[in-house]
Amino acid sequence: MQGWNWNGFFEYLTNYYLFQGALVTLGLTVFAMTAGLIIGFILAVMRMSPYRILSVPAYFYIWIMRGTPLLVQLIIIYTGLPQLGIKFTVVESTLIGLALCEAAYLAEIVRAGIAAVPKGQVNAARAIGMRESQILRYIVAPQAFRIIIPPLGNSVNGVLKTTSIASVISMNELLRRTQVLIQEKFLVLELFVVAAIYYLVMTTIWELIQSRIEKRFGRGYGQMTPDMH
Amino acid sequence: MSSNGQMIALKGVDKWYGEHFHVLKDCSLTVDKGEVVVICGPSGSGKSTLIKCINALEPIAKGSITVDSVEVADPKTDLPKLRAKVGMVFQHFELFPHMTILENLCIGQQKVLGRSHDEAVQRAEKLLHRVGLAAHAKKYPGHLSGGQQQRVAIARALAMDPIAMLFDEPTSALDPEMINEVLDVMVSLAEEGMTMMVVTHEMGFARKVADRIVFMDGGEIVEIGKGDEFFTNPKSERARTFLSKILPH
């Protein structure tokens, strides 16, 4: 039995190579959320469309992407598609896989948010002569966004951890770098605990940011001031 | 009624909800420029639906509705353009909760009428002053009382310089002590000659400003009477029954 190596643990805790890996993880998270939200918003609007030519493909896409594991999707993109002559690098495969998969989940969140904006708001916007695209942009989307901030925040937390799956196709993020370092001194437990701490620190910081965002976007809602009446 | 002074005209309007509920039955009505028409009747009689058809928030199945000589039901009609000319006030205010009072009054002016920010703000502040809420411009709707919110909603509609105003039960979601502050604004609008259609149960208001009263029941326009005449001498049995239920003894 080797026991716990404190020196090794602290050495890896401040290891620059791992720190960079954490930055890569953050970058993947930001990209997956941003691209996922843009594609997800389009999917949500398509899915809510009265035209079947829009709603059916969106439904089909969401069904596939939510019904299959990201791990399988990544392997198909990176390892499977070259068989058809479609080649992506590790980074490209990771970005594509994360964004496309996350888009399906975010589409459902966005759709729920849009559906939660009262119909009366749309009527009021129509009554002052706004066009449907303006109503979506100025009236529905901002209110839907406020409604979906809590589930979106949870998605960020989820994606941050999910990016570790990309280590399987040798994406050089936090978990992959942890595994590489294990080959150095075989401090298996110490290194995985360090990786866990990195993830925990990132998700905790995000939690703090999220609660601030929620406060900021909650302005004007349900707050009572003493001079109300 | 001269036809050239005609602002809103409904001819043989029919509408169904689903396949079986015949919500409007062959409704015909004209409203002249500057006229104030109050629509009353028991709940479920189709009054709110009728008024929402006028700016096409609800589609109609049959008949014709014209506003300022533009056919509302014509698929070629530019509905947003038409709606911008007709103000509407809703039972539940429907202010935009994520915008300040000032922004609520400016968004339509800027995005629909293409006014500059300064122009829009100037007009908005004038209207807020008019409804007695100038001090609340920077607040959010959630910070105002129901009566205040409804006055903002009226100001938001007026900011578009409408040629007519539609009111859909504007006071029925309000606490009793806030009803008058809203009615006062509506009375002053009527006195300035605004063309108005008002769905309301406020019979005191109707008596005071309505040129004509439209009584609806079961999706039909049962009776159209001149203001006071309708109250003192309703022609139909259904109107008499309705009035006996809502007028104080």
Side-chain angles (χ1 to χ4, degrees):
Chain A
M1 207 181 74
Q2 204 183 341
W4 175 267
N5 183 336
W6 279 110
N7 279 342
F9 171 75
F10 283 116
E11 199 181 299
Y12 284 127
L13 199 57
T14 53
N15 184 297
Y16 188 61
Y17 181 68
L18 278 186
F19 178 74
Q20 278 181 317
L23 291 183
V24 172
T25 292
L26 274 184
L28 290 179
T29 306
V30 170
F31 177 84
M33 282 306 292
T34 312
L37 249 184
I38 294 167
I39 304 169
F41 183 79
I42 296 166
L43 283 169
V45 173
M46 281 173 70
R47 214 189 138 176
M48 297 181 87
S49 159
Y51 305 108
R52 289 176 67 84
I53 191 158
L54 294 174
S55 66
V56 170
Y59 180 85
F60 187 73
Y61 177 89
I62 294 166
W63 173 63
I64 298 226
M65 297 309 274
R66 297 211 314 165
T68 55
L70 174 63
L71 181 55
V72 175
Q73 293 165 9
L74 282 176
I75 294 173
I76 287 177
I77 294 170
Y78 182 63
T79 318
L81 288 185
Q83 201 175 318
L84 304 176
I86 306 166
K87 286 187 189 129
F88 293 114
T89 64
V90 171
V91 176
E92 286 165 354
S93 303
T94 305
L95 293 178
I96 292 169
L98 282 174
L100 291 188
C101 177
E102 198 51 29
Y105 287 94
L106 294 179
E108 290 297 274
I109 292 176
V110 171
R111 187 171 69 99
I114 291 176
V117 176
K119 181 83 189 341
Q121 288 285 302
V122 175
N123 269 347
R126 282 187 184 146
I128 57 172
M130 292 178 87
R131 297 185 184 275
E132 298 304 307
S133 58
Q134 292 178 317
I135 296 172
L136 186 62
R137 178 166 166 200
Y138 298 113
I139 307 301
V140 174
Q143 294 189 60
F145 185 65
R146 181 197 141 259
I147 294 166
I148 66 176
I149 284 173
L152 273 188
N154 294 339
S155 293
V156 172
N157 184 302
V159 170
L160 203 146
K161 293 176 290 185
T162 302
T163 53
S164 59
I165 289 176
S167 65
V168 172
I169 58 167
S170 73
M171 175 68 205
N172 212 358
E173 43 66 75
L174 181 56
L175 184 62
R176 169 79 182 172
R177 288 179 184 227
T178 308
Q179 289 163 336
V180 168
L181 287 186
I182 286 174
Q183 308 306 320
E184 269 186 351
K185 295 180 189 162
F186 300 100
L187 296 179
V188 179
L189 182 60
E190 290 84 347
L191 264 162
F192 279 128
V193 169
V194 165
I197 289 172
Y198 267 109
Y199 282 113
L200 191 60
V201 167
M202 288 191 284
T203 52
T204 305
I205 291 172
W206 170 249
E207 243 174 71
L208 296 173
I209 296 172
Q210 190 189 349
S211 69
R212 297 202 88 170
I213 296 176
E214 278 175 32
K215 265 192 206 132
R216 159 114 171 73
F217 279 91
R219 71 184 174 176
Y221 288 86
Q223 300 160 359
M224 295 295 186
T225 51
D227 61 337
M228 238 202 87
H229 290 288
Chain B
M1 263 176 275
S2 63
S3 67
N4 54 357
Q6 186 178 288
M7 185 64 84
I8 298 166
L10 292 82
K11 240 180 270 163
V13 171
D14 270 283
K15 180 180 172 63
W16 282 265
Y17 279 136
E19 281 178 31
H20 303 294
F21 185 43
H22 200 172
V23 60
L24 295 177
K25 297 173 190 162
D26 194 24
C27 294
S28 296
L29 172 70
T30 59
V31 178
D32 279 1
K33 209 172 165 188
E35 201 180 12
V36 177
V37 171
V38 161
I39 304 168
C40 65
S43 64
S45 58
K47 337 178 271 294
S48 286
T49 305
L50 184 83
I51 207 165
K52 284 190 179 122
C53 289
I54 291 168
N55 61 354
L57 290 182
E58 293 279 356
I60 60 172
K62 244 169 60 189
S64 137
I65 299 177
T66 58
V67 175
D68 200 21
S69 307
V70 177
E71 175 60 56
V72 174
D74 184 345
K76 289 198 288 281
T77 298
D78 184 354
L79 284 181
K81 202 174 156 195
L82 179 103
R83 286 170 179 148
K85 294 198 290 183
V86 182
M88 184 158 208
V89 175
F90 299 86
Q91 181 176 3
H92 296 289
F93 331 134
E94 301 299 351
L95 295 177
F96 306 129
H98 58 300
M99 298 179 188
T100 64
I101 301 306
L102 193 67
E103 286 164 350
N104 264 276
L105 267 65
C106 288
I107 179 107
Q109 296 187 68
Q110 291 180 252
K111 302 301 173 192
V112 177
L113 301 181
R115 286 182 188 156
S116 73
H117 175 263
D118 290 352
E119 257 181 300
V121 167
Q122 209 176 13
R123 180 90 179 104
E125 279 172 346
K126 213 167 158 189
L127 284 163
L128 282 179
H129 188 75
R130 174 189 173 150
V131 299
L133 294 170
H136 300 270
K138 295 277 147 56
K139 291 184 185 169
Y140 286 88
H143 295 152
L144 301 188
S145 71
Q148 290 172 328
Q149 288 190 54
Q150 195 62 301
R151 284 186 280 153
V152 172
I154 295 172
R156 179 177 67 182
L158 291 176
M160 305 297 289
D161 294 317
I163 56 171
M165 288 279 287
L166 309 172
F167 294 83
D168 183 12
E169 304 208 28
T171 58
S172 47
L174 295 176
D175 290 334
E177 77 269 22
M178 296 173 185
I179 290 176
N180 280 332
E181 63 189 68
V182 172
L183 291 180
D184 286 345
V185 175
M186 292 168 61
V187 168
S188 79
L189 263 183
E191 283 167 353
E192 282 169 25
M194 176 62 79
T195 308
M196 292 163 67
M197 280 182 81
V198 186
V199 174
T200 186
H201 296 292
E202 294 297 329
M203 290 302 137
F205 169 81
R207 253 192 164 127
K208 195 165 169 186
V209 300
D211 295 305
R212 283 183 302 153
I213 315 258
V214 174
F215 173 70
M216 289 185 73
D217 190 16
E220 291 171 294
I221 293 179
V222 177
E223 181 172 342
I224 303 178
K226 292 261 173 208
D228 242 359
E229 227 173 85
F230 174 78
F231 291 104
T232 49
N233 191 18
K235 290 191 219 78
S236 62
E237 184 56 41
R238 283 197 273 182
R240 260 196 293 279
T241 314
F242 174 72
L243 285 174
S244 71
K245 280 181 194 157
I246 63 158
L247 289 181
H249 307 284

